[in-house]
Amino acid sequence: MSALRPLLAQAAPLLGGTLLCGLRLLPASLLSPFLGGPAVPPPVRLLLAFGLGGAAAAATGAAA
């Protein structure tokens, strides 16, 4: 558990921005046929939206 503390300390400032960017990208990932559309299971689409949100938040330096 003590090995995770430095990683969590680094990730904490990005979590708010990641959440907001993920919520912003969620409708696109749910409806876009390019990203799989209805053929992809909902948990995978959620992970895709929040993964892209995390990448966008890290790239732009977004903060909550």
Side-chain angles (χ1 to χ4, degrees), residues 1 14 17 33-34 39 41 58 62:
M1 184 68 178
L14 291 176
F34 178 71

Side-chain angles (χ1 to χ4, degrees), residues 1 6-7 11-13 18 20 23 26 30 33 36 39-40 43-44 47 49 54 58-59 61:
M1 184 68 178
L7 292 174
T18 298
L20 292 175
L23 287 174
L26 186 62
L30 291 176
V40 178
V44 173
L47 288 174

Side-chain angles (χ1 to χ4, degrees), residues 6-48:
L7 292 174
L8 290 175
Q10 285 180 328
L14 291 176
L15 289 178
T18 298
L19 178 66
L20 292 175
C21 289
L23 287 174
R24 180 86 165 181
L25 293 170
L26 186 62
S29 70
L30 291 176
L31 299 174
S32 175
F34 178 71
L35 297 174
V40 178
V44 173
R45 288 185 277 172
L46 288 173
L47 288 174
L48 176 68

